[in-house]
Amino acid sequence: MRIAAISDIHGNLPALEAVLAEIEQEDVDEIVVAGDTAHGPWPAEVLDLLVERGARNVRGNADREVIERSDRFGPLAHWSADRLGERRLDVARSWPLTLELSIAGLGSVLVCHSTPTSDDPIYTRITPDAELAAMFESVDADVVVCGHTHMQYERTLGSGLRIVNPGSVGLPYEGARGAYWALLGPDVEFRRTEYDVEATVAAIEVMRVPVDGRLLEQLVEPPDSESTTEYFESMRGT
């Protein structure tokens, strides 16, 4: 089995369309989404496209904010929920926290947004092994596929557990534009897909999406992974 792993789309339809077009050229058995799908400019269109492609989703923290119509990230969660409507919100409510897969060459794989029990904890490629071991002590798998921090990386804990983040399709923190994802099986292959970022930002502005202007700036000039990793690590200590 070969899997396309995507995550953190954040309602970015042009980025998702570009990734799916590339996935169509691969011998892929299934698409899995590691959360944060429907919080963004085109939430309904993104959800419908993933349903059409038969993708399997887990719920991310931003998805939960949309379902709950939270004000935590400003008005975007309410805006996204209104555009999804109750039928699509019911689909999002049905997304589990985890998915289990078996992939030749990788073994047993657990997909989650952050950890198997919560969509919120932050960890990075440099978080101490001991802390990650505590987060994943209940996991009976060879590989964990996660999202949440919008950066591609792979690391192996002392226990042998591999942690893989495919990066973000819709809002990457990689220092270079594009939509980031991964192919799983028989090993891990990180991918980056180009799309028209300027046209995407222009469309978001025309639609008057209530999104922080800094996020649009980050689409055009993404922050690099090193400084973002340091920032996330500093947040873990607060």
Side-chain angles (χ1 to χ4, degrees):
M1 176 175 281
R2 200 168 189 226
I3 301 293
I6 63 179
S7 188
D8 295 279
I9 303 164
H10 284 281
N12 187 335
L13 181 64
L16 176 62
E17 289 175 330
V19 168
L20 291 177
E22 193 164 324
I23 288 173
E24 285 180 356
Q25 307 305 311
E26 302 290 341
D27 183 19
V28 169
D29 298 287
E30 195 169 23
I31 300 169
V32 296
V33 187
D36 280 10
T37 297
H39 179 267
W42 291 276
E45 294 86 349
V46 162
L47 188 148
D48 287 349
L49 184 53
L50 291 172
V51 170
E52 177 187 316
R53 298 299 174 89
R56 299 174 66 193
N57 282 66
V58 299
R59 189 193 72 212
N61 63 304
D63 300 318
R64 173 170 47 80
E65 300 291 341
V66 172
I67 292 166
E68 296 174 354
R69 294 180 178 268
S70 170
D71 295 319
R72 182 181 177 189
F73 298 129
L76 187 55
H78 285 272
W79 190 92
S80 299
D82 287 342
R83 274 144 189 81
L84 286 169
E86 281 306 310
R87 177 178 62 82
R88 294 187 185 91
L89 283 170
D90 281 343
V91 172
R93 291 184 184 104
S94 74
W95 293 338
L97 274 176
T98 65
L99 292 172
E100 296 180 2
L101 307 168
S102 179
I103 303 176
L106 293 177
S108 57
V109 177
L110 180 80
V111 182
C112 57
H113 186 63
S114 176
T115 75
T117 57
S118 175
D119 54 33
D120 250 350
I122 292 175
Y123 54 89
T124 73
R125 60 168 61 89
I126 64 172
T127 301
D129 267 23
E131 294 186 34
L132 284 186
M135 290 182 187
F136 294 106
E137 62 181 351
S138 63
V139 171
D140 183 18
D142 300 303
V143 179
V144 168
V145 174
C146 60
H148 199 32
T149 55
H150 298 212
M151 293 177 286
Q152 287 181 335
Y153 69 86
E154 177 184 0
R155 61 181 292 184
T156 302
L157 304 184
S159 62
L161 179 66
R162 294 172 73 178
I163 298 177
V164 175
N165 191 318
S168 172
V169 168
L171 189 62
Y173 302 149
E174 305 280 1
R177 299 180 187 183
Y180 292 75
W181 55 288
L183 286 170
L184 308 178
D187 208 337
V188 177
E189 181 182 342
F190 290 122
R191 292 292 190 92
R192 181 179 74 87
T193 300
E194 294 184 357
Y195 70 101
D196 193 335
V197 174
E198 280 86 359
T200 299
V201 170
I204 293 170
E205 291 174 337
V206 167
M207 292 190 299
R208 297 184 179 179
V209 180
V211 63
D212 191 322
R214 290 174 297 178
L215 296 181
L216 298 184
E217 293 172 2
Q218 289 176 354
L219 280 177
V220 177
E221 296 185 13
D224 67 86
S225 59
E226 289 187 8
S227 61
T228 305
T229 295
E230 292 176 1
Y231 171 70
F232 281 146
E233 286 295 315
S234 71
M235 284 181 62
R236 291 193 322 102
T238 60

